[in-house]
Amino acid sequence: MSHELVFQLSGTCNNYPWGKKGKQSLAAQLCAKTPGIDFSIDDDQFYSEMWFGDYPDFPARKLETGEALADVLQKNKEQLLGKKVIEKYDSQLPYLPKILSIAKALPLQLHPNKELATKLHKKDPSSFTDPNHKPEIAVALSKFEVFAGFKPLDKISPLFKLKPLQQFNPDQPEKWTDETLRNVTRSLLKSDLETVKKVQIELSKVPKDQLGEAAYILDLLPRLQDQYGPEDAGSLVALLCMNFLVFNAGDAVWIPADGIHAYLAGDIVECMARSNNVLNTGFCPTGDRNNADLFADTLTFKAHSKDDVTLPSQKSDKGQKGKTVVYRPPMSEFDMLKTDLGAGESEELAASDGPGVLIVTSGAGSMHAGGKDFDLKEGFIYFVAPGVPVKWDSQKGLQIHMAVV
């Protein structure tokens, strides 16, 4: 049975309290611009994410019929997913794209690798809903602040010689190892609330010159306390042990499986392997936190500098007119393409051997694909089947982000 190879989708917004409110949320703005759906922005509501993949939690739908994208794909696997996805990725989209609008820190978290995810899914399928890993990338659409990966050990160890922090590393080894860092992280996370509060008060009084390159801690600590109180150990782990990065639009961060991270503020396009598994241990209510020992034991220390988590864009060989860059994470499931067109410009994108999902993040134009013409407006989302080249034109300017296999 033949099926349309290119069709418009609608996304689904969610309402986590770290999201931006009302019309301040880009996720909500983009969602509301999809025509013909029952969605309007409530100015008193938080809008944190818009998902537009085939994952069941917040599914994309075929706009014309309202069918869940997963159902459409399963009825037309050969045409819409292609051989590569059927054989390698269990006949499901191997990626999950989202728009995030972040007003305050997301939980301090990591995503279990495939081995641990399989065990956790078997043991507790209601909390760990799939057996997959979840490496991810985030491409900034605005100024984007994030804690990601650990600092180099020689940047962390001097901080724990400060009097308020010596208790978390009582042995004071001359040379730190990753196991030292694991134990310190565990000790911080397992501290009682009064200890955390006392340490944060004492840390806020440390002179800037004693903190060296980490003097930014004194600016960020009250901000995190305003969001989650002075008793959240996540603030200590993030500020003392993790890289703090500030990105501009177009910059990207890469989070490997088991990579510790917490997004702090900004608007992003996020794309990850097809999973919703997460271990949380800070910047969230106590009842939402996973076991601190499990969290600490899962850490793998793949990222130990800012360079380890920064993902530069490269010119994409798919873009025939040079208007497209690719963010290529060191994993096989997906790449993210970004196309920027000025007024009167166009781009032709070569076909992929797997499915693509695109969103117009700004501007307007038109698309020719699969023998048809389509309108492109801010917030519009389209599915593109394998083997289908596309052409984009814009009279006033256009930006598109597209996840591809």
Side-chain angles (χ1 to χ4, degrees):
M1 175 180 163
S2 181
H3 191 276
E4 295 172 278
L5 298 178
V6 181
F7 50 88
Q8 192 167 0
L9 301 173
S10 62
T12 301
C13 263
N14 57 36
N15 311 103
Y16 299 122
W18 49 259
K20 294 183 180 181
K21 257 191 174 182
K23 294 183 180 67
Q24 296 174 11
S25 169
L26 180 65
Q29 289 180 38
L30 294 178
C31 192
K33 290 181 179 179
T34 300
I37 62 168
D38 184 21
F39 178 81
S40 57
I41 297 175
D42 179 347
D43 284 334
D44 294 323
Q45 180 66 270
F46 295 104
Y47 296 99
S48 46
E49 303 175 308
M50 177 174 67
W51 293 26
F52 45 105
D54 68 344
Y55 203 83
D57 288 14
F58 303 102
R61 297 182 179 277
K62 186 177 181 183
L63 184 61
E64 187 179 9
T65 64
E67 291 176 275
L69 176 58
D71 295 338
V72 176
L73 299 180
Q74 290 310 303
K75 286 189 288 189
N76 304 274
K77 293 181 190 178
E78 287 75 16
Q79 282 187 303
L80 298 184
L81 291 173
K83 182 179 179 182
K84 181 177 179 179
V85 169
I86 291 171
E87 292 180 355
K88 286 189 68 176
Y89 301 118
D90 197 27
S91 298
Q92 297 171 318
L93 276 186
Y95 52 74
L96 175 54
K98 308 176 183 179
I99 299 289
L100 273 65
S101 290
I102 305 157
K104 67 178 187 176
L106 274 69
L108 181 67
Q109 61 187 261
L110 58 79
H111 306 297
N113 61 28
K114 283 187 178 181
E115 182 182 0
L116 180 59
T118 300
K119 291 177 183 175
L120 293 173
H121 176 61
K122 189 173 182 179
K123 182 179 179 181
D124 184 5
S126 62
S127 298
F128 301 94
T129 52
D130 60 75
N132 202 17
H133 68 169
K134 191 182 174 184
E136 63 189 56
I137 69 169
V139 181
L141 295 171
S142 64
K143 179 182 176 183
F144 172 44
E145 298 171 292
V146 57
F147 295 107
F150 288 108
K151 300 174 188 176
L153 292 172
D154 62 3
K155 301 294 184 186
I156 303 172
S157 58
L159 297 174
F160 286 87
K161 293 178 180 176
L162 297 170
K163 190 171 181 181
L165 302 173
Q166 290 176 7
Q167 61 186 297
F168 301 107
N169 185 32
D171 296 336
Q172 290 294 316
E174 190 172 322
K175 187 173 177 62
W176 275 41
T177 67
D178 284 339
E179 287 309 306
T180 313
L181 179 54
R182 186 191 307 279
N183 291 331
V184 167
T185 302
R186 189 193 312 272
S187 180
L188 288 167
L189 292 174
K190 295 180 79 169
S191 298
D192 63 77
L193 300 181
E194 276 306 309
T195 297
V196 173
K197 184 176 181 179
K198 182 181 177 184
V199 170
Q200 290 198 21
I201 291 171
E202 292 175 347
L203 182 60
S204 69
K205 297 175 181 177
V206 173
K208 271 194 173 187
D209 59 357
Q210 291 188 30
L211 292 171
E213 293 178 19
Y216 63 85
I217 288 173
L218 299 177
D219 297 320
L220 284 178
L221 180 58
R223 182 172 158 194
L224 293 173
Q225 289 175 331
D226 284 346
Q227 294 179 6
Y228 291 102
E231 299 170 341
D232 194 317
S235 295
L236 295 176
V237 174
L239 292 170
L240 298 169
C241 302
M242 296 173 65
N243 299 303
F244 172 64
L245 302 102
V246 180
F247 290 114
N248 296 313
D251 296 335
V253 64
W254 146 247
I255 309 294
D258 299 336
I260 188 170
H261 61 289
Y263 297 160
L264 186 56
D267 298 303
I268 60 174
V269 179
E270 185 183 48
C271 196
M272 59 198 60
R274 190 183 188 279
S275 174
N276 198 29
N277 292 325
V278 64
L279 297 172
N280 294 323
T281 190
F283 303 149
C284 59
T286 305
D288 293 345
R289 298 180 190 185
N290 295 96
N291 179 277
D293 282 316
L294 174 62
F295 189 94
D297 289 342
T298 303
L299 294 170
T300 56
F301 309 103
K302 291 171 185 170
H304 247 316
S305 72
K306 292 183 178 182
D307 288 344
D308 289 342
V309 294
T310 302
L311 184 65
S313 63
Q314 308 163 24
K315 277 291 182 184
S316 171
D317 56 9
K318 285 187 177 294
Q320 307 300 297
K321 297 191 175 183
K323 305 296 183 184
T324 300
V325 298
V326 59
Y327 301 90
R328 186 170 285 124
M331 50 182 275
S332 61
E333 278 100 327
F334 67 86
D335 291 338
M336 174 68 74
L337 305 178
K338 178 171 75 80
T339 299
D340 286 285
L341 299 182
E345 293 183 341
S346 65
E347 176 66 293
E348 296 177 20
L349 206 67
S352 297
D353 56 2
V357 175
L358 68 90
I359 182 167
V360 180
T361 43
S362 65
S366 61
M367 173 171 67
H368 183 78
K372 296 182 178 179
D373 292 313
F374 301 87
D375 283 337
L376 296 176
K377 295 180 181 178
E378 193 172 276
F380 281 23
I381 308 166
Y382 285 94
F383 177 91
V384 180
V388 179
V390 300
K391 182 182 180 185
W392 296 314
D393 294 281
S394 179
Q395 295 305 309
K396 295 183 178 179
L398 175 70
Q399 184 181 75
I400 289 172
H401 289 77
M402 183 175 187
V404 295
V405 177

